[in-house]
Amino acid sequence: MDLELTERQRAFRAGARSWLAAHVPAAPLPSLETAGGFTAHRAWERTLAAGRWSAVTWPEEYGGRGASLVEWLLFEEEYYAAGAPGRVSQNGISLLAPTLFAHGTAAQRARILPPMARGEVIWAQAWSEPESGSDLASLRSTARRTAGGWLLSGQKTWSSRAAFADRAFGLFRGHREEGAPPHRGLTYLMFPLRAPGVTVRPIGRLDGKPAFAELFLDEVFVPDEDVIGEPGQGWRVAMSTAGDERGLTLRSPGRFTASARRLVALWRERAGNSGPGGACGAGDRGASAADGLRDRVADAVIGARAYELFAYARASRPEAGSAAGAATGAESSLNKVFWSELDIALHETALDLLGPVGELADDATDAAGGGGWADGYTFALAGPIYAGTNEIQRDLIAERLLGLPRERR
Amino acid sequence: MEFLLDRAQGEFGRTVDRMLGGAHTAQVVRAWARGDHGPGRTLWERLGGIGVTALAVPETHEGVGPLPVELAVASVESGRHAVPGPLAETAAVAVLLAALAGGDAAQVDPAARHWLPRIASGRTLVTLAAADGGPYALDADAADAVFTVEGAGGEELWLAPGHGRVQPSIDPARRLARPLPGGELLARGPAVAEAAGRAADWAAFVTAAQSLGTGLALLERTVAYVKGRRQFGRAVGSFQAVKHRLADVLIGLEFARPLLYGAAVALASAGPGARAEVAAAKVAAGEAGYAAARAALQLHGAIGYTDESDLSLWIRRAGALRSAWGTPSVCRARVLAG
Ligand SMILES: Cc1cc2nc3c(=O)[nH]c(=O)nc-3n(C[C@H](O)[C@H](O)[C@H](O)COP(=O)(O)OP(=O)(O)OC[C@H]3O[C@@H](n4cnc5c(N)ncnc54)[C@H](O)[C@@H]3O)c2cc1C
């Protein structure tokens, strides 16, 4: 057991670091959840792709570097440490691409992956429906057979970035046999967002950003080549996407270790905690409010480190591949709950340290403002809801990992 | 990078588990709590026989160590099986004596030569009182030698002449006593303080591993219980409030585990970051083990609150280990200092 990087891993990391140092924009880009920010982030994806850093775990033929999972973790660590922009292409790269590697055809990969890597086609995930959230299998949107393809109808909602994205992937119901369980007969399809029959209606989010959307589909034509896996077998394909979504790929440890470092810096600055000495031995003095905050800062550091080491342990497993990578079934539920709660705790602690200026949004013009914590906080609040709510994840952990009886649903 | 137990380490863990599984440890702990150390000492000799007590003792003194990863593996198992005795203190004494014997404090050499092979064999029990662990020596009444770190700045290492009356702990199987003053001065100087600091890290590390093991045992037992216990016509384990609480226990334990092994790797390289890594593992494992105990108690209902149920052995242990060798608060401060 060791945490020593190999020669090759060190070289990979150094390569990423120097490239990022030369290319990361000096000023932060506007939020990718806005129209202007979306365009700026597309350009950044192009830059990343030109350096072959946009999808490092993919095989070289699709624009990747064939990087291992450990290398990917190192890249992500460097990426967030460098303060690089959020990834507007995340749905495509971390959800759809692994699904295509596992269930797609060679032709689909060749057609879809390179433009995805270059940010030319940005993907949205169209799973949720107004009546189907946690109970995804109850979805009602339909795919009807037509010559050479399918006609999609229905309504999808809560689709991140769909207001500005190009294409989407989602599940649709074919005919359902009487008495068959609801997850039978679903088909996994990719469809255009700017085509006849599609209406995209933006939905304002809690943080006021306009990229969220609901989608109305009215007989939207999709050719056969845009079905992933077998028609009718969509549920199985979707569960592999869901594993990726909750697994490591959606939220690598890099962003949390970077946030934890910033939090410690903030704590030192705010609480005048320049040196180690005074902080020790609090147990003897009795606790003060400052100790309470200090403990929460420490817990955030511990949580980020735990997540990082958990990721390394998982990436060290013999069966951990590269591209499709980090999905490990029910275990991904452990991940999801852990990082989403860690993210909130990190940001809440930062806001408490900031005191009254903590509530200033990131675009407040007051220079004494929050230093980029407020928007992160508002976004962190969504973590326990998206990618399968934490209540559902806890059910999965209890039933699949602990073997507790299933609830009657 | 290869952050996984290798085959031999995994096999070692299973060996310790099998051995302890057949050792009726619940009876051993209960006897130990009454001050009857016979069965416990026999168990320690058997642990010595498969190398567990030699893991922190260097090869130059008839040990096999220092092997922190293997020590973590064995300590997790000892926690799972509620093995009584000064496991953390034994590791700490080994590290302390070995560090001093190898360094400038030449006068320790005879003591190291005398004690380290005996510790490694499992036939001799030692314990330690040092500032980081508080004023008491664990299981001093069972030990053949009580070491103390004393003096201004913790620069003196003594072999105590005996110990005071045993003070009850919240875990009756942890028998705490103050060492008597005086005895034999083994070493003095800044090297003692430094070695004692390192020893305390090892003690905290082993304590963290025991906490993790204690929590795993509590979770295993509780999962089995709630699957079988029926109320309102169904297994209580099918109720969501119960399931979610146990899911959280598993999350806590599974994220403490990598921290424990991260600390092991840091101790192996003895770098400056080791103290903070150990402290992080101690917080996470201590809190996870304690949360497991709270959940186990709650979900067993009144049975969990009885002394008769063996569950009580683990529940009380989890609470005591949480504060031994560094309370959560002290360890959190260390994480930020590191
Ligand atoms: C920021 C954000 C981004 C999102 N992006 C996307 C996207 O890009 N694409 C997409 O398809 N969807 C997206 N979603 C939607 C998300 O996947 C759903 O919100 C989620 O699956 C929950 O569904 P729901 O909102 O309908 O809640 P419901 O399923 O109605 O649940 C409401 C509450 O009841 C609880 N609950 C439900 N069932 C159970 C149960 N059996 N046991 C216990 N509690 C239960 C839930 O945990 C939740 O707390 C996004 C959501 C957010 C907040």
Side-chain angles (χ1 to χ4, degrees), chain A residues 125-142 154-159 171-173 176 182-183 186 235 385 388-389 392:
Chain A
Q125 181 189 21
W127 285 28
S128 304
E129 297 186 3
E131 306 296 325
S132 301
S134 301
D135 184 12
L136 181 64
S138 70
L139 64 85
R140 296 199 282 211
S141 295
T142 55
Q155 185 183 352
K156 299 285 181 178
T157 189
W158 315 129
S159 190
L171 285 172
F172 293 83
R173 187 170 294 292
R176 180 171 162 193
H183 52 270
L186 297 176
W235 187 252
I385 300 171
T389 70
I392 297 298

Side-chain angles (χ1 to χ4, degrees), chain B residues 19 21 95 128 142 153 178 207 302 305 333:
Chain B
M19 200 274 264
V95 167
L128 172 71
R178 279 183 195 266
T207 306
Y305 200 71

Side-chain angles (χ1 to χ4, degrees), chain A residues 185-239:
Chain A
L186 297 176
T187 300
Y188 201 123
L189 289 136
M190 300 177 277
F191 60 95
L193 285 170
R194 318 270 158 238
V198 184
T199 308
V200 178
R201 190 185 77 84
I203 309 170
R205 288 200 322 195
L206 194 67
D207 61 6
K209 300 293 189 307
F212 220 27
E214 62 186 328
L215 315 172
F216 300 88
L217 308 174
D218 180 14
E219 309 254 291
V220 180
F221 177 76
V222 170
D224 282 327
E225 61 181 13
D226 280 346
V227 174
I228 306 178
E230 292 296 312
Q233 299 297 312
W235 187 252
R236 205 168 61 85
V237 181
M239 287 307 98

Side-chain angles (χ1 to χ4, degrees), chain B residues 187-266:
Chain B
R188 188 204 297 273
V192 172
E194 207 205 302
R198 202 166 347 142
D201 288 341
W202 280 71
F205 167 68
V206 172
T207 306
Q210 289 176 301
S211 290
L212 177 60
T214 304
L216 291 170
L218 285 160
L219 179 60
E220 281 165 35
R221 284 174 166 257
T222 306
V223 165
Y225 181 76
V226 300
K227 277 188 199 171
R229 172 72 175 171
R230 295 177 72 83
Q231 292 290 291
F232 303 100
R234 55 187 173 128
V236 295
S238 69
F239 294 120
Q240 204 171 49
V242 171
K243 287 157 98 165
H244 286 196
R245 185 147 188 192
L246 291 175
D248 281 335
V249 168
L250 181 67
I251 292 169
L253 294 167
E254 286 307 323
F255 282 89
R257 194 194 298 271
L259 285 170
L260 179 71
Y261 288 106
V265 169

Side-chain angles (χ1 to χ4, degrees), chain A residues 289-362:
Chain A
D291 293 336
L293 262 178
R294 182 209 58 199
D295 284 359
R296 288 165 56 197
V297 173
D299 279 340
V301 172
I302 294 168
R305 179 68 172 155
Y307 189 44
E308 182 183 15
L309 291 169
F310 184 89
Y312 283 142
R314 204 185 267 190
S316 296
R317 286 190 194 165
E319 72 272 20
S322 55
T328 48
E331 270 184 63
S332 60
S333 298
L334 295 172
N335 245 27
K336 161 74 208 310
V337 177
F338 191 82
W339 66 248
S340 57
E341 294 196 340
L342 170 64
D343 204 21
I344 292 179
L346 263 162
H347 284 88
E348 278 176 352
T349 306
L351 295 192
D352 282 4
L353 278 166
L354 285 163
V357 297
E359 70 173 278
L360 288 181
D362 288 358

Side-chain angles (χ1 to χ4, degrees), chain A residues 1-2 4-5 9 268 276 279 294 298-299 305-306 310 312-313 316 391 394-395 398-399 402-403 405 407, chain B residues 1-5 223 226-227 234 237 240 243-244 247-248 251 254-255 258-259 261 277 329 332-333 336-337:
Chain A
M1 166 169 291
D2 72 77
E4 205 79 29
L5 298 184
Q9 287 163 343
R268 294 228 155 95
R294 182 209 58 199
D299 279 340
R305 179 68 172 155
F310 184 89
Y312 283 142
S316 296
E391 286 76 20
R394 287 186 170 94
D395 278 348
E399 290 169 10
L402 296 177
E407 187 135 26
Chain B
M1 171 183 320
E2 202 57 46
F3 193 57
L4 277 184
L5 296 180
V223 165
V226 300
K227 277 188 199 171
R234 55 187 173 128
Q240 204 171 49
K243 287 157 98 165
H244 286 196
D248 281 335
I251 292 169
E254 286 307 323
F255 282 89
L259 285 170
Y261 288 106
E277 297 272 355
S329 179
R332 286 180 171 113
L336 293 176

Side-chain angles (χ1 to χ4, degrees), chain B residues 118-187:
Chain B
R118 288 174 167 77
I119 292 171
S121 75
R123 276 193 281 275
T124 295
L125 284 194
V126 299
T127 187
L128 172 71
D132 272 348
Y136 300 102
L138 178 66
D139 298 321
D141 62 332
D144 303 296
V146 180
F147 294 84
T148 68
V149 176
E150 291 182 33
E155 296 196 345
E156 294 169 7
L157 175 64
W158 292 79
L159 189 55
H163 61 85
R165 171 203 276 272
V166 171
Q167 306 294 319
S169 150
I170 54 172
D171 174 3
R174 286 174 56 88
R175 300 171 62 81
L176 304 172
R178 279 183 195 266
L180 295 177
E184 185 185 343
L185 180 64
L186 296 176

